[in-house]
Amino acid sequence: MKFVDREKEIVRLRQLLKSDSPSFVIIRGRRRIGKSTLIGKVLGEKDIYYEADRTDPANQMAGLSSMVAHVFPDFNDAVYKDWRALLVAINHRVTERVTLCLDEFPYLVEGSPSLPSVIQGLIDSKTDKLRYNLILCGSSQQMMYNLTHDESSPLYGRTDADFGMKAIAVNYLQEALDLDAQKCIEHYAVWGGVPRYWKLAESSPTLREAIWEHVLSDMGALYEEPLRLFRDDMKDIVKTSTIMSVIGSETNRLSEIASKLGEPATNLSRPLAKLTDLGYLEKEVPFGESAKSSKKSLYRIADPFLHFYNKFVVPNKSFIQLKRDKPVKAAFERDFPGHVGYWWEHICRDAVSGNVVDGVTYGMCRRWWGKITVMNEGGKPESKDIELDMVAESLDHTTILIGECKWTTGENGRLLTNGINKIVPFLPFVNGKKVIIKLFTKVRPEEDQGNALLPEDVLRLF
C-alpha cells in the first residue's frame, strides 16, 4: 500500500533528530494509526528501535540490550541492574548522534513505574545528560498524554515535540488504495482513517470480501478489535463495550443511555468524557448551540470502524460464532447503504468546515434539528420537526449554507432544492442572511439545479 499523508510529521521529526542538541519526543495515538510506520520513515541504520512487551523488567532490559548491540557491539554482554544503568551505558557508547525509540512505552512503565522519573533525571542531569535523541511511543493515549501534560508527571514540560497522531483524512484513502470516489466513501465508512485497516482491505479483491474476511468472521483479524483498543485506555472494558453498543444501537441521549444501562446519568459523565477525549465518541449539538449549555446534545460513535462494528458485529455475534451467514448477510445488505449514507453526511460536513465553497469561506458545519412554526394550507400556524443534514455560516456572518446529503440514486434536484427553500424563511438562524443550498449526492440528480456536489467534488475539498 502506498504511504500517504504524514509529510509534515516526517519533516518535523527529521528536523528534531538532526538539531544541534538531543531531542526528546513523544508520539502517541490509538493502536494501528501508523505510529511505528512513521518512526520507521525517520530512523536510520545506526538508530535503535525497541518494541516493548508485557514481560518483567529484567526481560525487557535484556531485549533492549540486544537491540542496542546491533549498533554498539557487545553491549549486551553486560547485565544492567536497572533502567538508569542501561540508559546511561548507551550514553557512554555514543560518539555521534543516534536515536533511541522505545515503542509501546506504557508496557515498560507497567513493570517499572519509576522509569519516567529515571528519564527525567537523565534529561535534567548535568553529568549524565542524554547524548542521544529519545522517542517514547505508545498506544495508551491517556497515559502518553499525561506523561507530558499532567503537572504531576516527572516529564511534564520536558518534551521538544509531542505528536498526537489522528486518523488520516478520507481523500488519502482514495490515493492509498487507488479507488474511485464512490468506492472511497464506502471504504471509509468501514475502515475510517486507520491505515492498518486499509492495508488489510487492500489484500481482498472487493470491499465486501474484506469485510467478511476481517470483520464478520470470528477468525477475522479485526473481530476482537474494539477490545484491543479499549484495553489500552479503559479500566472497565465491559462497561465501555456496553456503552458503545448502546450508543451504536441509535440510543443517543444521555437520559436514554443511562436508562438502558440501568444507572444514574451522573455515573456516565466520566466514561463518556473519556471516550470522547479518545476520539471514539462525539458529543453532537445542533448548529448554533453551545456544546456546554445545549439541552439537545447527542452522543454518537465518532469512529467509522467502531460504528460499523457495533452496527453489524455486536447484534450478530451469536450467528457469527455459529457460522450462520444468512441472517448476517441479510442484515448487512439491508443496512449497509444507510450506514454509508450516515458517513457520507459526516464526510460532507468535514469537507465544508473551515473550507471555501464557491468563493465563500465557512466555519464549522453541523447538523441542525428542532421545531419551526410554518403556515399550513389553512393559513394557520403549525409546529413542525425539522432535521437538516448540513448548516454552516460564512466567517463574515453574511451567508448560510444549507446542505442535504443523499447516498441513493434517482434523486430529483429540483424537488430537493424546493423542499429546503420552503422552510428557509422559518429557520431561526437565517435572520436575513443570504442562503446557499447545496445537494451532496451519490450521483448527479435528475433535474439538476447546478447545486449538486458529487463524491469526487467533495473529496477535492479536503
Side-chain angles (χ1 to χ4, degrees):
M1 185 181 78
K2 182 180 179 182
F3 183 85
V4 296
D5 198 18
R6 313 300 193 200
E7 292 90 352
K8 291 181 180 178
E9 289 90 340
I10 290 174
V11 169
R12 179 62 179 142
L13 268 173
R14 285 175 174 163
Q15 288 174 342
L16 288 163
L17 302 186
K18 293 179 180 179
S19 60
D20 293 338
S21 57
S23 296
F24 173 41
V25 177
I26 295 287
I27 299 178
R28 54 189 170 83
R30 63 178 277 181
R31 192 166 297 279
R32 305 186 194 266
I33 203 68
K35 301 182 298 297
S36 299
T37 302
L38 172 66
I39 291 166
K41 292 288 182 180
V42 299
L43 294 187
E45 292 184 1
K46 294 183 178 180
D47 295 322
I48 304 158
Y49 172 84
Y50 174 65
E51 183 175 351
D53 55 22
R54 277 193 161 111
T55 56
D56 63 67
N59 191 65
Q60 291 169 340
M61 286 187 284
L64 175 56
S65 295
S66 295
M67 296 307 298
V68 176
H70 288 282
V71 178
F72 302 123
D74 305 325
F75 185 88
N76 57 340
D77 287 352
V79 176
Y80 302 94
K81 63 178 182 178
D82 55 34
W83 282 107
R84 189 180 189 284
L86 194 160
L87 295 174
V88 169
I90 298 175
N91 233 18
H92 293 162
R93 298 290 292 271
V94 170
T95 57
E96 59 181 316
R97 182 72 60 78
V98 300
T99 297
L100 169 63
C101 175
L102 301 179
D103 203 350
E104 297 298 354
F105 184 70
Y107 294 167
L108 301 181
V109 178
E110 282 180 11
S112 304
S114 63
L115 182 54
S117 295
V118 170
I119 294 172
Q120 176 241 321
L122 295 176
I123 291 172
D124 294 347
S125 173
K126 294 182 179 179
T127 56
D128 291 316
K129 192 174 183 65
L130 288 182
R131 298 171 60 189
Y132 49 87
N133 300 312
L134 178 62
I135 298 175
L136 304 183
C137 179
S139 300
S140 176
Q141 297 183 67
Q142 195 74 55
M143 186 266 196
M144 295 300 295
Y145 179 85
N146 288 342
L147 271 179
T148 55
H149 291 80
D150 185 339
E151 293 185 11
S152 65
S153 168
L155 296 175
Y156 174 75
R158 286 175 170 80
T159 55
D160 295 290
D162 181 355
F163 291 78
M165 294 183 65
K166 305 295 183 185
I168 299 177
V170 59
N171 57 309
Y172 288 105
L173 170 57
Q174 182 178 26
E175 180 184 352
L177 298 188
D178 191 24
L179 301 169
D180 66 40
Q182 282 191 21
K183 288 182 180 178
C184 176
I185 302 301
E186 291 176 346
H187 271 265
Y188 189 82
V190 179
W191 316 116
V194 181
R196 175 56 181 161
Y197 302 165
W198 301 358
K199 183 67 175 175
L200 289 171
E202 185 186 39
S203 65
S204 299
T206 68
L207 173 59
R208 276 169 167 72
E209 289 176 84
I211 290 169
W212 285 98
E213 180 181 356
H214 299 299
V215 189
L216 296 178
S217 164
D218 60 355
M219 297 183 292
L222 302 178
Y223 184 65
E224 299 290 348
E225 182 70 0
L227 294 181
R228 298 188 191 99
L229 293 174
F230 299 150
R231 283 193 191 105
D232 288 327
D233 284 290
M234 307 300 290
K235 292 181 179 179
D236 192 336
I237 298 175
V238 173
K239 185 172 184 177
T240 300
S241 299
T242 305
I243 290 172
M244 296 294 286
S245 177
V246 167
I247 295 174
S249 68
E250 305 303 325
T251 303
N252 306 114
R253 298 185 185 281
L254 178 57
S255 58
E256 296 169 349
I257 298 168
S259 176
K260 279 206 172 183
L261 292 172
E263 57 181 294
T266 51
N267 288 2
L268 298 177
S269 58
R270 292 186 69 181
L272 287 173
K274 190 167 186 180
L275 285 166
T276 301
D277 289 342
L278 293 171
Y280 300 143
L281 290 180
E282 61 184 352
K283 188 176 181 180
E284 184 185 27
V285 297
F287 170 82
E289 297 196 17
S290 167
K292 293 182 178 180
S293 60
S294 177
K295 295 181 180 179
K296 296 180 181 179
S297 58
L298 304 175
Y299 285 95
R300 297 188 182 276
I301 296 179
D303 174 76
F305 176 78
L306 291 177
H307 188 245
F308 179 90
Y309 188 94
N310 281 280
K311 191 175 188 67
F312 294 101
V313 178
V314 171
N316 293 298
K317 269 208 166 184
S318 296
F319 291 129
I320 294 171
Q321 291 288 113
L322 291 171
K323 304 190 186 307
R324 304 282 166 79
D325 290 347
K326 287 185 178 179
V328 184
K329 287 182 177 178
F332 178 82
E333 295 300 332
R334 182 186 66 241
D335 296 332
F336 186 63
H339 172 79
V340 178
Y342 175 85
W343 284 99
W344 170 235
E345 285 186 27
H346 209 287
I347 290 166
C348 293
R349 287 192 290 270
D350 285 348
V352 169
S353 295
N355 217 335
V356 179
V357 180
D358 294 341
V360 179
T361 306
Y362 292 94
M364 292 302 296
C365 185
R366 295 180 182 172
R367 288 199 314 138
W368 183 86
W369 62 93
K371 291 183 181 293
I372 62 173
T373 301
V374 299
M375 304 305 290
N376 62 23
E377 293 181 359
K380 294 183 179 180
E382 179 182 45
S383 182
K384 190 174 183 180
D385 286 311
I386 294 292
E387 290 190 14
L388 298 172
D389 297 334
M390 301 173 62
V391 182
E393 184 178 22
S394 62
L395 295 185
D396 63 7
H397 308 294
T398 63
T399 307
I400 293 286
L401 181 148
I402 297 177
E404 185 156 351
C405 304
K406 297 290 185 183
W407 195 254
T408 48
T409 57
E411 299 293 344
N412 186 293
R414 179 179 57 83
L415 294 178
L416 291 174
T417 303
N418 289 347
I420 297 174
N421 268 322
K422 286 179 181 179
I423 65 171
V424 165
F426 307 101
L427 296 172
F429 49 79
V430 171
N431 297 324
K433 295 181 176 70
K434 180 181 179 181
V435 175
I436 302 295
I437 296 174
K438 291 289 184 182
L439 306 179
F440 296 78
T441 56
K442 180 179 181 180
V443 297
R444 192 163 300 284
E446 299 173 9
E447 296 191 71
D448 181 17
Q449 303 297 292
N451 61 343
L453 281 81
L454 307 185
E456 52 267 32
D457 302 317
V458 172
L459 292 178
R460 279 195 291 267
L461 289 172
F462 282 88

